[in-house]
Amino acid sequence: MRAWAEIDHDALRHNLGVLRSAAPDSLLMPVVKADAYGHGLVSVARTLRESGADWLGVALPEEALSLRSAGDSGPLLCWLAVPGEAFGDCIAADIDVSAYDGRMLAEVVAAARAVDRRARVHLKVDTGLSRGGAMPPWEPFFELAKQAADDGTIEVVGLWSHFAYADEPQHPTVARQVELFESAIAAATGVGLTPQIRHLANSAATLRLPHTHYDMVRPGIAVYGISPGPAVGTESELDLHPVMTVKSRFVMVKDLPAGQGVSYGHQYVTPHDTTAGLIPLGYADGIPRAASGVGPVLAAGEIRPIAGRVCMDQVVVDLDSSQAEAGDEVVMFGDARRGHPTATQWADLTGTIGYEIVTRLGPRVARIDMGSTPKATDPAPSEEAKLSG
Ligand SMILES: *Cc1c(COP(=O)(O)O)cnc(C)c1O
């Protein structure tokens, strides 16, 4: 195989356990949007359900519907639909949806009537991220929801918001957002709504801000064994095990003379006679072009930078005359405990975050499930955790 990503389901289970211990009194909703952060939606979802995830969260309706097509039937929330999107399909498939304002709520209500099913809705309030969600004053939005709940068209299951700065747990906006979330809860209660599931915490808040856990936490990146940011802690401090290890093999190994330019633009010039290894992965696979000259690769026993530019399908590594041959395995990033470079190191060296390194890995790289994985024929999760419905 040219290149593959090993997905360690034992690590996934371990991380879920870490998050469960961090928030023992809240429901746990691992986030599996964007193909489970690049790790493979369906198989990751199966392992998470089997390991006790109470809910799953996704961004897009089509992500939620893919889970349902794959046999997943547990509590599931999606939160990012554009006008005219398939609310009806979601409602009919028992997927909880989110409303960000009165307009979106009206659309959910219409869809629920059209499919003749009560929609399960999580009302989203903007407490300072200034992304999705209703701005205060919240009462008019909540009044609309109350009316639709009273006439049986919707059930208001959740009230939720999202942090701007939880990856810096001491940041003053955290307290301000919690305060505003509390006032949203009070406003909902004031109009007679009683959302059972209030949720606010992402990975960073799940790990570092227990007072933000409320009824449910929504960790994403930590599920995959990657730290949300340096102020939250390193992977080893947080006891997170990276789930994805990206591997490939040398296509060719050859000698190069001293003073030889390597890859487009000859950005790298061999300092002495050396050996070069050709790795068949490039920016078309999600290897950032910004990793030109830096991307740390475990090749021929050592962690080495990429020599020169990252190309569309290939990179070259200077093996410094080490013994190596075509077909030898290399590791782009994986688990530091196994001596691999990590997604976090790649991110630090290329000016991005670990989230982007794993999520951008392209479809040409096969995901290979490792560790003990649930049987594909037995995807049905338990319904026990579901609070109502
Ligand atoms: C992506 C996302 C999360 C998970 O965030 P992490 O930082 O990966 O833990 C939680 N909630 C919402 C609304 C999200 O979009």
Side-chain angles (χ1 to χ4, degrees):
M1 204 180 301
R2 175 184 72 98
W4 64 100
E6 295 178 356
I7 306 301
D8 181 350
H9 287 249
D10 295 333
L12 206 50
R13 263 186 261 287
H14 167 85
N15 299 330
L16 199 71
V18 168
L19 291 158
R20 171 64 80 198
S21 327
D25 302 321
S26 302
L27 294 165
L28 189 53
M29 176 195 271
V31 177
V32 294
K33 63 190 177 189
D35 201 26
Y37 288 47
H39 293 66
L41 174 63
V42 169
S43 59
V44 164
R46 271 185 199 127
T47 292
L48 293 173
R49 290 285 195 200
E50 189 213 56
S51 321
D54 303 301
W55 281 71
L56 291 176
V58 292
L60 311 183
E62 58 258 43
E63 294 171 332
L65 291 165
S66 305
L67 280 174
R68 289 297 190 240
S69 309
D72 182 273
S73 60
L76 176 58
L77 172 65
C78 74
W79 55 68
L80 190 63
V82 297
E85 245 189 328
F87 280 123
D89 293 347
C90 289
I91 297 163
D94 206 16
I95 295 161
D96 288 34
V97 297
S98 207
Y100 290 11
D101 61 6
R103 187 207 58 74
M104 206 182 290
L105 187 63
E107 219 181 299
V108 172
V109 164
R113 293 204 174 111
V115 299
D116 199 21
R117 286 278 296 274
R118 184 177 302 175
R120 296 169 45 89
V121 181
H122 297 235
L123 304 175
K124 172 133 194 222
V125 291
D126 188 344
T127 53
L129 177 60
S130 307
R131 209 172 67 177
M135 295 293 285
W138 289 298
E139 282 79 1
F141 175 45
F142 292 164
E143 293 281 5
L144 289 174
K146 177 73 166 89
Q147 281 163 24
D150 284 348
D151 72 20
T153 319
I154 70 167
E155 180 186 349
V156 176
V157 176
L159 177 66
W160 70 291
S161 191
H162 195 41
F163 278 122
Y165 247 121
D167 56 329
E168 288 181 29
Q170 308 303 323
H171 199 274
T173 56
V174 169
R176 180 67 188 138
Q177 284 196 257
V178 171
E179 209 175 285
L180 279 171
F181 193 56
E182 288 290 337
S183 70
I185 293 167
T189 311
V191 307
L193 289 174
T194 47
Q196 307 145 55
I197 310 184
R198 300 157 300 168
H199 49 108
L200 179 59
N202 57 6
S203 293
T206 302
L207 293 165
R208 287 288 186 228
L209 300 167
H211 66 290
T212 68
H213 290 174
Y214 292 95
D215 306 304
M216 180 161 78
V217 295
R218 303 187 309 268
I221 196 70
V223 172
Y224 307 100
I226 296 174
S227 166
V232 180
T234 62
E235 280 100 26
S236 87
E237 285 163 355
L238 298 168
D239 190 25
L240 296 175
H241 296 175
V243 172
M244 179 190 287
T245 300
V246 175
K247 295 183 174 174
S248 184
R249 297 178 195 285
F250 290 130
V251 171
M252 180 183 197
V253 174
K254 65 183 174 190
D255 293 336
L256 292 178
Q260 177 64 51
V262 175
S263 192
Y264 291 130
H266 283 180
Q267 247 182 24
Y268 179 78
V269 178
T270 53
H272 44 70
D273 291 357
T274 190
T275 310
L278 177 64
I279 299 172
L281 275 171
Y283 60 78
D285 300 296
I287 301 301
R289 192 164 177 276
S292 297
V294 294
V297 178
L298 177 61
E302 271 183 50
I303 294 182
R304 308 168 192 274
I306 287 169
R309 291 216 178 117
V310 173
C311 309
M312 189 181 291
D313 315 296
Q314 312 177 40
V315 297
V316 177
V317 177
D318 185 339
L319 301 177
D320 212 12
S321 304
S322 300
Q323 286 289 313
E325 50 187 278
D328 286 358
E329 200 169 281
V330 300
V331 180
M332 307 304 278
F333 56 84
D335 191 338
R337 296 170 310 143
R338 301 198 175 97
H340 304 160
T342 64
T344 297
Q345 287 167 343
W346 271 76
D348 292 346
L349 287 164
T350 58
T352 182
I353 52 177
Y355 295 71
E356 190 183 4
I357 297 294
V358 288
T359 304
R360 63 186 291 158
L361 192 75
R364 299 201 304 185
V365 180
R367 274 64 168 175
I368 312 283
D369 293 318
M370 314 283 284
S372 63
T373 55
K375 287 193 294 285
T377 48
D378 183 24
S382 86
E383 288 277 293
E384 287 156 27
K386 201 162 175 175
L387 285 186
S388 68

